[in-house]
């Protein structure tokens, strides 16, 4: 098990509810240990096990929730 931390800039969040949507989408992924989404900074910090999930899957989850990343 190799725990990684990924910080994504999340575009399109307009309120705290958007941040909650991103957080819920990421928390639903097996292998994600912790998520902190900050609406003010427009960032999501994700701690995950890279043996269970990879960065592209995390980005896809954010995009599937209706937001984009940089």
């Amino acid at each position: 098990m190799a725990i990684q931390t990924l910080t994504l800039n999340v575009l399109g969040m307009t309120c705290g509810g958007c941040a909650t949507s991103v957080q819920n989408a990421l928390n639903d992924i097996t292998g994600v240990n912790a998520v902190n989404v900050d609406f003010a900074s427009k960032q999501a910090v994700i701690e995950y096990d890279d043996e269970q999930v990879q960065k592209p899957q995390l980005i896809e989850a954010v995009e599937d929730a209706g937001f984009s990343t940089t």
Side-chain angles (χ1 to χ4, degrees), residues 32-62:
V32 171
N33 298 331
V35 178
N36 182 14
V37 180
D38 183 46
F39 167 66
S41 68
K42 308 264 193 269
Q43 290 188 325
V45 180
I46 308 144
E47 182 180 288
Y48 65 100
D49 179 351
D50 70 358
E51 292 179 5
Q52 295 184 9
V53 64
Q54 299 295 314
K55 181 179 174 180
Q57 292 168 282
L58 301 172
I59 292 170
E60 183 179 355
V62 172

Side-chain angles (χ1 to χ4, degrees), residues 5-39:
T5 301
L6 173 66
T7 300
L8 294 175
N9 295 313
V10 181
L11 305 175
M13 290 193 297
T14 58
C15 65
C18 293
T20 300
S21 293
V22 171
Q23 186 158 335
N24 290 341
L26 290 165
N27 275 326
D28 284 346
I29 299 173
T30 300
V32 171
N33 298 331
V35 178
N36 182 14
V37 180
D38 183 46
F39 167 66

